[in-house]
């Protein structure tokens, strides 16, 4: 079986960070904050976070904070809840949450909660359970979850529960592994997993594993390394991960590596990117791959980072 | 980011890419200048369209366009024609962007935002959707948008149902269409719409429909989950029922207030040893319910006031709903033989999580008596180690098979529930069983075997609710064994199901399993999962050693447990012990020879009460910390799990975590512990 090419991936991630002029980089300009989270968390899992210039990163993050308290995807862009979470997660990685005016960030997020408990992504009102997860995760990291109406947030998420046990982006939306991760994660963080029919959802999730050993995101779709995170972390949170063949999945992820140039792709022999590199490494961590730091399935941050937030003095 | 082949770029490709990048960069810079300076001229707005055509994911450009639209619509010279032209423009830009990337969240949301201004028509939008759904019938953005259009333009569920039918006839392999169908049907059932009043008439047609999908290509998953939903609709009665209780109806309970298990006299029926001054009444429902309280459940007895009873749900700390509820009665001081009558649901208020009321009030009664104290307990030392492998099981004597079977018949609650001759349900199941047997005779397929196993179990449970024997257990066990070979990827799923069926069936082998009315041996059965709890509420000593349990989910229902052995199983973390926190009578626990400490990933991390999930119960003091010398960050699992335990005896040897340092932490967390790994403490 192939091995994880730790050094290659480490160098690949650093190169992505530096290369701001390729078409690929420019076209992803608007979500650089997400990219920072993917790249840096992957580096931490690989044990290489100290190769990064912390001050540079933090100074750039703070430049992305807008008047409303929310963060934008990159300098110049509008704020959005998506990038606010990534910013907070990166600061947590570096144990630098204290550079934040927590009230300011919390006010931005609480302002995005709607009457029915759902969350909008920004002032323009798009509603999606992804944003519910983001709000709950972000405020949990900042230790002020009680600033939102948690009960209503949970009941909105439950209104997106489908008859197959899964969750969609809005009520009636088809079950999709990404949405399921967000909803199960949000329910996990609010002590509400008892609302999940774990056997029903567990079966739906374990049937994402196809013959090649990879996982797809919904029935009759192609497998993709990023589902090694969305499906796997969901299975772990509901304690049903033993229902898939973990070894076969490890092999699939390792087959998606570019062992010459570094990086991981969605499927074997496809082009790599930092998004799939992160999800591949995170998936391997969840599968107990040796040499990787353990990652928390709900906060999507290394376990030691999460424990530091909740259990140190 | 998806589906692009991996290949090293040629030099001319690289050069072209850099040129494209520079062009895009220039566009972005220019765009920002307009956006930050709030410039909404025709030229500026056109530039944003160019940007979005190249990169529909550039979300700020969509925001800018909304600001531009608002700017134009607020002009004093605004008129309907101008509005129409402005909004038409937006719709055109969205269509162009979607052509680039028909999964762009920003594009779809922009269209919704424009439509909300009341501009386009249903036909226009459906035409657009048709185009996209032809290109990709699984595009969930399109399906979401379709639901949005149907709702805001008041299309009927019946029309939308017809649409799903058309899509499915074009191609059965369309999970999105089946999903939408399930949403629409549920809504129609709930509304009690015309033509959908009786599931009895609608479900058989749906079964016919779904068979076409499954039987055409049994390996295609599109129909599996819809079929499972139909099965659930067939089997599950709307209103919740009381499945079981402890004490059971007709029980004669002797309350023994000591901790010594050495040969106390006991009644032929059941003796409960309790050192807590109270004993539990446990209600086990067939689905999670809320609203169980002294108003909705009345307990009439001479020695307790009903209003004083506090009913608690046995679920994670935040939850107000559970399948199992418990209340504690104080042990009477006199030694009279008292009768207790429990009425469940005579007033409204018990509601299932699906929203249905408990509509069949039930009643059961039992007798209670206190064993007169024969010795001075203050002088009795509880130093003896209690081992579940020993004579203790025999002390309680074996019962004749007959009297034990009688005791199970007594488990039946006096329920005034809907007659078990719900013919259409059993008929529907019988028909399905026939169809799947036929399928399996033609081809050996996973979904055939799995569905048949589920159907047979459901049929047995429905048709023989109080039987001692489940008719099809052997066949079901064989089907799951077959599946473990046929589909090894999902081996553990079938193993868990197999274990659950095995437990359901244990009633058959009463004499070998039971050593007394309070002890149960379930060791060495290769069990990977526990179940059948509604039948096990009476157990006080449970031996689950030498199995393959990696979870004890559901064990919290066994409120009478005082001794439990999980020795030599596959428990992977301390957090997996969460269900035991609710067992207030647990005094002896053996978790030796498991895998606690072997794994870096904890699969029950969020299924236990802790600050991580904001679920530390209200009874816990927020400022509580571990005693001095014990760092919470290194021992939080042990702290949150064990701090409320009241154990006398614990065995933990054979787990990687159980080194001397950890054992000393445990002793600090549980100061009342008297024995650890066979060593006397204190």
């Amino acid at each position: 079986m192939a091995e994880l090419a730790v050094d290659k991936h480490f160098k690949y991630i650093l190169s992505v960070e530096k290369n701001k002029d390729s078409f690929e980089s420019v076209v992803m300009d608007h979500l650089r904050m997400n990219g920072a989270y993917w790249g840096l968390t992957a580096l931490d899992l690989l044990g290489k976070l100290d190769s990064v210039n912390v001050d540079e990163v933090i100074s750039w993050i703070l430049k992305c904070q807008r008047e409303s308290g929310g963060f934008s995807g990159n300098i110049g862009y509008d704020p959005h809840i998506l990038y606010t979470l990534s910013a907070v997660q990166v600061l947590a990685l570096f144990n630098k949450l204290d550079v934040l005016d927590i009230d300011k960030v919390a006010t931005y997020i609480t302002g995005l909660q709607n009457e029915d408990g759902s969350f909008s992504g920004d002032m323009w009102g798009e509603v999606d359970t992804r944003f519910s997860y983001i709000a709950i995760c972000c405020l949990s990291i900042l230790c002020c979850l009680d600033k939102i109406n948690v009960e209503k947030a949970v009941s909105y998420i439950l209104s997106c529960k489908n008859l197959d046990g899964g969750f969609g982006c809005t009520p009636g939306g088809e079950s999709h592994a990404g949405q399921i991760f967000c909803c199960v994660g949000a329910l996990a963080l609010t002590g509400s997993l008892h609302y999940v029919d774990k056997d029903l959802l567990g079966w739906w999730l374990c049937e994402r594993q196809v013959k090649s050993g990879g996982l797809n995101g919904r029935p009759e779709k192609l497998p993709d390394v990023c589902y090694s995170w969305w499906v796997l972390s969901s299975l772990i949170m509901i304690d049903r991960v033993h229902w898939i063949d973990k070894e076969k999945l490890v092999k699939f992820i390792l087959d998606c590596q570019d062992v010459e140039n570094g990086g991981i792709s969605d499927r074997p022999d496809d082009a790599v990117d930092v998004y799939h590199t992160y999800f591949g490494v995170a998936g391997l961590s969840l599968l107990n791959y040796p040499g990787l730091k353990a990652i928390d399935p709900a906060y999507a941050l290394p376990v030691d980072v999460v424990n530091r937030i909740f259990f140190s003095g | 980011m998806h589906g692009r082949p991996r290949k090293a770029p040629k030099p001319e490709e690289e050069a072209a890419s850099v040129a494209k990048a520079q062009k895009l960069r220039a566009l972005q810079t220019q765009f920002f200048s307009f956006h930050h300076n709030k410039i909404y001229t025709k030229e500026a707005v056109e530039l944003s369209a160019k940007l979005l055509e190249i990169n529909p994911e550039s979300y700020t450009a969509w925001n800018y366009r909304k600001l531009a639209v608002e700017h134009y619509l607020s002009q004093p010279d605004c008129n309907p024609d101008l509005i129409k032209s402005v909004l038409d423009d937006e719709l055109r830009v969205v269509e162009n962007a979607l052509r680039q990337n028909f999964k762009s969240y920003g594009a779809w949301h922009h269209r919704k935002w424009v439509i909300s201004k009341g501009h386009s028509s249903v036909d226009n939008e459906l035409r657009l959707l048709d185009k996209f759904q032809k290109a990709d019938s699984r595009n969930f953005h399109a399906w979401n948008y379709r639901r949005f259009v149907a709702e805001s333009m008041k299309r009927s569920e019946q029309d939308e149902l017809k649409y799903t039918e058309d899509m499915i006839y074009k191609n059965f392999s369309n999970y999105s269409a089946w999903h939408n169908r399930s949403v629409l049907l549920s809504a129609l059932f709930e509304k009690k719409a015309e033509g959908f009043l009786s599931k009895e008439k609608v479900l058989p047609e749906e079964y016919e429909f779904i068979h076409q999908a499954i039987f055409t290509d049994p390996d295609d998953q599109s129909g599996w989950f819809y079929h499972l939903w139909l099965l659930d609709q067939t089997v599950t009665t709307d209103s919740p029922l009381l499945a079981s209780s402890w004490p059971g109806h007709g029980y004669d309970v002797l309350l023994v207030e000591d901790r010594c298990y050495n040969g106390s006299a006991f009644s032929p029926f059941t003796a409960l040893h309790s050192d807590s001054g109270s004993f539990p009444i446990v209600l086990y429902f067939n689905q999670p319910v809320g609203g169980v309280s002294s108003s909705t459940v009345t307990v009439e007895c001479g020695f307790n006031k009903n209003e004083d009873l506090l009913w608690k749900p046995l679920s994670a700390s935040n939850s107000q709903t559970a399948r199992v509820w418990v209340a504690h009665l104080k042990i009477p001081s006199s030694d009279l033989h008292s009768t207790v009558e429990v009425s469940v649901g005579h007033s409204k208020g018990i509601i299932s999580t699906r929203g249905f009321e408990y509509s069949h009030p039930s009643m059961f009664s039992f007798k209670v008596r206190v064993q007169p104290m024969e010795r001075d307990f203050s002088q009795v030392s509880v130093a003896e180690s209690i081992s579940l492998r020993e004579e203790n099981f025999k002390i309680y004597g074996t019962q004749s098979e007959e009297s034990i079977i009688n005791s199970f018949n007594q488990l039946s609650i006096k329920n005034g529930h809907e007659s078990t001759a719900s013919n259409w349900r059993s008929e529907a199941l019988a028909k399905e069983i026939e169809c799947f047997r036929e399928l399996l005779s033609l081809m050996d397929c996973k979904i055939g075997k799995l569905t048949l196993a589920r159907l047979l179990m459901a049929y047995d449970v429905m048709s023989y609710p109080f039987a001692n024997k489940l008719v099809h257990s052997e066949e079901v066990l064989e089907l799951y064994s077959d599946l473990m070979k046929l589909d090894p990827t999902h081996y553990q799923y079938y193993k868990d199901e197999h274990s659950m069926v095995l437990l359901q069936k244990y009633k058959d082998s009463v004499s070998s399993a039971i050593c007394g009315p309070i002890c149960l041996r379930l060791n060495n059965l290769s069990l990977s999962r526990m179940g059948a709890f509604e039948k096990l509420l009476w157990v006080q000593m449970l031996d689950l050693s030498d199995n393959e349990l990696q979870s004890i989910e559901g064990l919290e229902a066994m409120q009478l447990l005082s001794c439990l052995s999980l020795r030599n199983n596959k428990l992977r973390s301390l957090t997996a012990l969460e269900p035991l926190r609710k067992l207030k009578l647990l005094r002896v626990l053996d978790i030796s020879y498991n895998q606690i400490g072997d794994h870096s990933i904890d699969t029950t991390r969020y299924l236990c009460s802790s600050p991580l999930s904001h679920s530390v119960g209200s009874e816990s003091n927020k400022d509580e910390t571990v005693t001095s010398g014990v760092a919470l960050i290194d021992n939080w699992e042990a702290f949150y799990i064990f701090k409320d335990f009241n154990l006398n005896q614990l065995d933990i040897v054979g787990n990687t975590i159980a080194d001397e340092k950890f054992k000393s932490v445990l002793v600090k967390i549980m100061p009342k512990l008297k024995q650890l790994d066979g060593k006397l403490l204190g």
Side-chain angles (χ1 to χ4, degrees):
Chain A
M1 169 140 80
E3 265 185 30
L4 184 65
V6 173
D7 220 53
K8 296 277 182 177
H9 301 316
F10 159 52
K11 294 202 171 79
Y12 168 73
I13 294 171
L14 291 182
S15 75
V16 165
E17 194 271 326
K18 288 187 177 51
N19 182 359
K20 299 185 187 163
D21 296 322
S22 69
F23 181 69
E24 192 192 272
S25 186
V26 178
V27 107
M28 309 279 215
D29 198 49
H30 63 280
L31 53 67
R32 195 172 173 81
M33 191 62 73
N34 288 158
Y37 160 74
W38 297 324
L40 294 168
T41 310
L43 286 180
D44 199 5
L45 294 175
L46 294 167
K48 307 278 193 198
L49 189 62
D50 47 11
S51 55
V52 170
N53 183 329
V54 183
D55 292 327
E56 246 176 56
V57 175
I58 292 182
S59 139
W60 167 74
I61 289 179
L62 291 175
K63 286 198 192 115
C64 293
Q65 187 169 28
R66 311 310 299 273
E67 248 172 68
S68 54
F71 288 79
S72 57
N74 204 344
I75 296 172
Y77 290 84
D78 291 348
H80 194 285
I81 207 175
L82 287 166
Y83 312 112
T84 307
L85 175 63
S86 292
V88 168
Q89 283 172 316
V90 171
L91 291 172
L93 277 180
F94 291 127
N95 199 10
K96 292 278 187 192
L97 289 168
D98 50 10
V99 310
L100 283 176
D101 175 348
I102 290 180
D103 279 333
K104 202 158 173 227
V105 181
T107 304
Y108 175 71
I109 291 181
T110 53
L112 292 170
Q113 185 167 29
N114 302 308
E115 256 311 299
D116 61 0
S118 67
F119 283 85
S120 299
D122 64 10
M123 61 180 275
W124 296 107
E126 182 188 2
V127 168
D128 188 316
T129 45
R130 286 178 294 149
F131 308 146
S132 301
Y133 166 73
I134 287 171
I136 288 169
C137 183
C138 195
L139 291 181
S140 294
I141 293 172
L142 298 174
C143 299
C144 56
L145 184 62
D146 50 4
K147 295 213 163 155
I148 56 164
N149 186 328
V150 175
E151 206 183 301
K152 277 190 164 178
V154 168
S155 82
Y156 178 77
I157 290 169
L158 295 177
S159 74
C160 299
K161 186 158 65 146
N162 293 318
L163 300 165
D164 51 22
F167 295 83
C169 52
T170 44
E174 185 183 339
S175 297
H176 178 283
Q179 307 294 150
I180 289 172
F181 163 75
C182 290
C183 293
V184 172
L187 293 174
L189 297 181
T190 53
S192 312
L193 282 175
H194 51 275
Y195 291 116
V196 175
D197 185 336
K198 302 187 200 72
D199 289 335
L200 183 60
L201 178 58
W203 185 55
W204 190 94
L205 286 170
C206 81
E207 284 293 339
R208 295 309 104 239
Q209 186 160 40
V210 298
K211 283 205 173 66
S212 65
L215 305 179
N216 62 25
R218 33 184 192 137
E220 301 306 309
K221 288 248 150 189
L222 292 172
D224 181 332
V225 152
C226 63
Y227 294 116
S228 309
W229 171 262
W230 309 120
V231 173
L232 198 55
S233 56
S234 303
L235 280 169
I236 285 188
M237 286 189 275
I238 61 173
D239 195 16
R240 297 291 187 272
V241 70
H242 57 290
W243 284 358
I244 59 161
D245 185 330
K246 293 193 243 180
E247 264 181 45
K248 272 178 114 175
L249 180 58
V250 168
K251 181 171 185 307
F252 176 82
I253 298 174
L254 293 173
D255 282 346
C256 293
Q257 298 178 97
D258 180 343
V259 293
E260 280 172 32
N261 303 310
I264 299 178
S265 57
D266 56 348
R267 253 159 250 133
D269 302 321
D270 270 359
V272 303
D273 57 59
V274 75
Y275 170 90
H276 288 97
T277 304
Y278 162 68
F279 286 116
V281 172
L284 288 172
S285 165
L286 289 180
L287 294 165
N288 291 289
Y289 192 85
L292 294 176
K293 266 191 171 185
I295 191 167
D296 180 299
Y299 287 95
L301 286 169
V303 168
D304 61 353
V305 171
V306 176
N307 286 357
R308 182 171 64 207
I309 295 170
F310 286 94
F311 299 121
S312 19
Chain B
M1 284 196 289
H2 288 96
R4 294 166 306 141
R6 179 185 308 171
K7 47 181 182 172
K10 304 193 194 88
E12 58 270 24
E13 281 171 347
E14 280 222 39
S17 166
V18 171
K20 260 206 306 182
Q22 281 169 345
K23 196 169 154 224
L24 183 56
R25 181 69 84 194
L27 256 180
Q28 280 175 349
T29 311
Q30 182 65 293
F31 161 73
F32 276 135
S33 153
F34 289 141
H35 178 47
H36 295 149
N37 294 310
K38 303 198 201 315
I39 297 171
Y40 305 116
T41 60
K42 203 164 161 234
E43 174 208 30
V45 174
E46 227 349 88
L47 183 110
S48 73
K50 265 205 219 110
L51 176 57
L52 285 169
E53 209 170 328
I54 299 177
N55 189 5
E57 295 307 283
S58 195
Y59 69 100
T60 302
W62 292 113
N63 297 349
Y64 168 83
R65 287 196 75 90
K66 292 181 184 70
L67 288 167
V69 166
E70 285 183 343
H71 167 82
Y72 279 105
L73 295 189
S74 65
Q75 295 301 305
D77 59 346
C78 193
N79 59 59
D81 281 336
L82 184 64
I83 296 176
K84 184 176 183 325
S85 131
V86 164
L87 296 181
D88 269 342
D89 227 26
E90 294 313 301
L91 295 179
R92 178 186 55 84
V93 171
V94 168
E95 257 197 77
N96 286 344
L98 286 177
R99 230 168 263 134
Q100 250 300 93
N101 175 9
F102 58 55
K103 298 182 184 183
S104 166
Y105 284 98
W108 285 105
H109 181 252
H110 193 71
R111 196 171 187 93
K112 267 196 205 167
W113 185 85
V114 172
I115 296 297
S116 310
K117 300 213 174 293
H119 181 55
S120 186
S121 70
V122 192
D123 291 334
N124 268 354
E125 296 313 295
L126 292 183
R127 246 196 307 265
L128 177 86
L129 278 168
D130 232 12
K131 257 194 268 178
F132 282 102
Q133 286 184 295
K134 270 196 179 68
D136 175 9
S137 62
R138 297 295 304 282
N139 182 343
F140 66 79
H141 297 270
W143 279 100
N144 285 345
Y145 190 70
R146 192 186 178 89
R147 277 180 282 268
F148 164 74
V149 166
E151 197 186 307
S152 57
M153 301 195 190
K154 311 268 183 276
R155 246 173 88 81
S156 75
E157 271 119 357
Q158 284 88 335
D159 281 339
E160 283 299 293
L161 200 65
K162 179 84 184 39
Y163 179 78
T164 65
E165 222 175 281
D166 294 340
M167 290 294 279
I168 290 168
Y169 274 122
K170 281 201 191 99
N171 179 5
F172 285 120
S173 179
N174 190 337
Y175 189 87
S176 311
W178 287 110
H179 162 75
N180 211 32
R181 197 172 176 79
S182 74
V183 173
L184 294 162
L185 267 182
S186 298
L188 288 165
F189 282 147
E190 201 177 304
K191 271 177 165 171
K192 301 200 196 297
E194 170 121 18
F196 296 92
L197 281 163
S198 119
K199 289 187 187 169
E200 188 174 337
K201 299 226 159 50
V202 176
L203 289 181
E205 281 174 27
E206 291 303 309
Y207 274 121
E208 286 268 351
F209 197 19
I210 194 64
H211 287 168
Q212 297 175 58
I214 299 181
F215 297 174
T216 306
D217 180 2
D219 285 337
D220 186 312
Q221 291 191 0
S222 309
W224 295 2
F225 305 90
Y226 190 78
H227 187 268
L228 189 57
W229 175 65
L230 292 177
L231 192 57
D232 176 72
Q233 291 295 295
T234 306
V235 162
T236 310
T237 55
D238 286 341
S239 125
L241 296 170
L242 188 65
S244 142
S245 74
W246 190 91
H249 181 65
Y251 267 45
D252 194 343
V253 181
L254 177 72
L255 297 170
V256 185
E257 285 187 286
D258 73 20
R259 286 186 235 113
C260 302
Y261 294 85
N262 304 319
S264 335
F266 64 97
S267 86
F269 226 58
T270 182
L272 171 63
H273 295 258
S274 170
D275 57 6
S276 59
S278 66
F279 71 96
I281 300 183
V282 184
L283 299 177
Y284 196 109
F285 295 87
N286 69 345
Q287 46 183 293
V289 294
V292 173
S293 68
S294 55
S295 323
T296 50
V297 176
T298 42
V299 178
E300 275 176 46
C301 66
F303 53 90
N304 258 235
K305 267 211 286 214
N306 183 59
E307 306 80 70
D308 291 344
L309 280 185
L310 186 60
W311 286 94
K312 287 198 181 139
L314 288 184
S315 188
S317 15
N318 285 357
S319 174
Q320 286 309 300
T321 62
R323 278 185 82 158
V324 195
W325 288 75
V326 68
H328 289 87
L329 288 181
K330 287 203 188 57
I331 290 182
S333 41
S334 87
D335 57 0
L336 287 174
H337 208 166
S338 323
T339 302
V340 180
E341 266 182 28
V342 182
S343 309
V344 181
H346 284 83
S347 354
K348 282 180 183 245
I350 300 179
I351 304 185
S352 74
T353 50
R354 295 185 192 204
F356 293 100
E357 278 185 34
Y358 185 89
S359 53
H360 305 291
S362 31
M363 202 273 286
F364 62 95
S365 66
F366 57 91
K367 295 208 182 99
V368 148
R369 176 158 57 98
V370 180
Q371 154 121 323
M373 306 249 273
E374 280 168 8
R375 350 176 211 195
D376 180 1
F377 286 110
S378 62
Q379 292 187 340
V380 174
S381 81
V382 196
E384 294 162 46
S385 169
I386 294 170
S387 165
L388 285 160
R389 289 178 173 277
E390 286 172 15
E391 305 301 305
N392 284 315
F393 269 78
K394 295 215 188 113
I395 285 174
Y396 292 92
T398 47
Q399 298 271 292
S400 74
E401 228 182 273
E402 219 179 82
S403 65
I404 289 176
I405 289 175
N406 279 337
S407 79
F408 286 124
N409 285 337
Q410 300 279 5
L411 281 175
S412 68
I413 313 288
K414 279 206 189 112
N415 261 327
H417 60 115
E418 104 181 34
S419 83
T420 40
S422 300
N423 280 324
W424 76 266
R425 295 179 194 269
S426 326
E427 268 171 32
L429 286 184
K431 187 149 185 272
E432 283 306 289
I433 289 172
E434 211 182 288
C435 287
F436 277 86
R437 284 202 195 285
E438 207 188 298
L439 172 67
L440 284 171
S441 70
L442 295 169
M443 61 180 102
D444 205 24
C445 58
K446 151 181 162 175
I447 193 58
K449 288 190 192 267
L450 181 56
T451 308
L452 183 60
R454 289 171 172 162
L455 285 165
L456 291 172
M457 281 302 289
Y459 186 80
D460 278 358
V461 169
M462 177 182 290
S463 312
Y464 316 103
F466 305 118
N468 288 337
K469 231 177 147 50
L470 285 177
V471 175
H472 294 103
S473 330
E474 287 310 323
E475 190 182 348
V476 173
L477 288 172
E478 214 182 291
L479 283 167
Y480 281 120
S481 299
D482 285 348
L483 283 163
M484 287 185 234
K485 296 192 204 89
L486 187 59
D487 180 19
T489 298
H490 300 109
Y491 177 91
Q492 286 295 338
Y493 173 72
Y494 303 123
K495 186 91 179 43
D496 277 3
E497 292 294 291
H498 186 277
S499 295
M500 304 274 271
V501 177
L502 204 61
L503 284 164
Q504 288 287 340
K505 163 184 118 109
Y506 99 94
K507 254 174 147 188
D508 297 348
S509 43
V510 149
S511 54
S512 58
I514 297 188
C515 309
I518 69 172
C519 308
L520 182 60
R521 266 199 208 289
L522 291 175
N523 56 343
N524 238 305
L525 293 173
S526 211
L527 292 174
S528 60
R529 188 175 174 177
M530 270 298 284
F533 296 107
E534 72 276 10
K535 298 186 175 136
L536 303 177
L537 298 180
W538 52 273
V539 179
Q540 298 178 43
M541 295 173 73
L542 179 59
D543 182 2
L544 283 170
S545 60
D546 304 309
N547 279 296
E548 294 167 32
L549 295 172
Q550 60 113 54
S551 157
I552 48 173
E553 207 177 288
L555 213 73
E556 65 273 5
M558 299 179 67
Q559 287 290 294
L560 305 197
L561 273 185
S562 55
C563 296
L564 173 63
S565 175
L566 290 164
R567 180 188 161 95
N568 194 19
N569 273 282
K570 296 197 169 152
L571 296 175
R572 301 159 61 97
S573 64
L574 291 173
T575 56
L577 302 174
E578 169 75 15
L580 304 182
R581 284 183 59 240
K582 303 249 168 21
L583 302 181
K584 298 299 175 200
L585 295 178
L586 192 65
R587 299 288 173 265
V588 175
L589 177 62
D590 186 348
I591 50 172
S592 60
Y593 300 99
N594 277 277
Q595 298 174 1
I596 302 174
D598 286 353
H599 307 281
S600 55
I601 298 295
D602 182 356
T603 62
T604 38
R605 187 168 160 94
Y606 288 95
L607 294 173
C608 74
S609 294
S610 86
L612 293 171
S613 53
H614 299 87
S615 60
V616 177
S618 50
E619 68 271 3
S620 169
N621 180 3
K622 282 206 161 113
D623 293 326
E624 250 178 309
T625 47
V626 192
T627 52
S628 67
V630 179
L632 189 61
I633 195 168
D634 296 323
N635 299 286
W636 69 271
E637 290 104 329
F639 177 68
Y640 283 103
I641 291 291
F642 287 115
K643 69 176 169 61
D644 297 325
F645 275 41
N646 223 336
L647 294 178
N648 293 336
Q649 181 180 320
L650 175 65
D651 281 87
I652 196 167
V653 67
N655 286 289
T656 311
I657 200 176
D659 56 16
E660 288 311 310
K661 187 163 167 233
F662 182 72
K663 296 205 307 192
S664 70
V665 166
L666 278 185
V667 170
K668 291 207 174 93
I669 294 172
M670 292 187 283
K672 293 196 206 150
L673 193 64
K674 297 190 168 52
Q675 247 193 71
L676 180 57
D677 282 337
K679 214 172 91 170
L680 285 178
L681 302 169

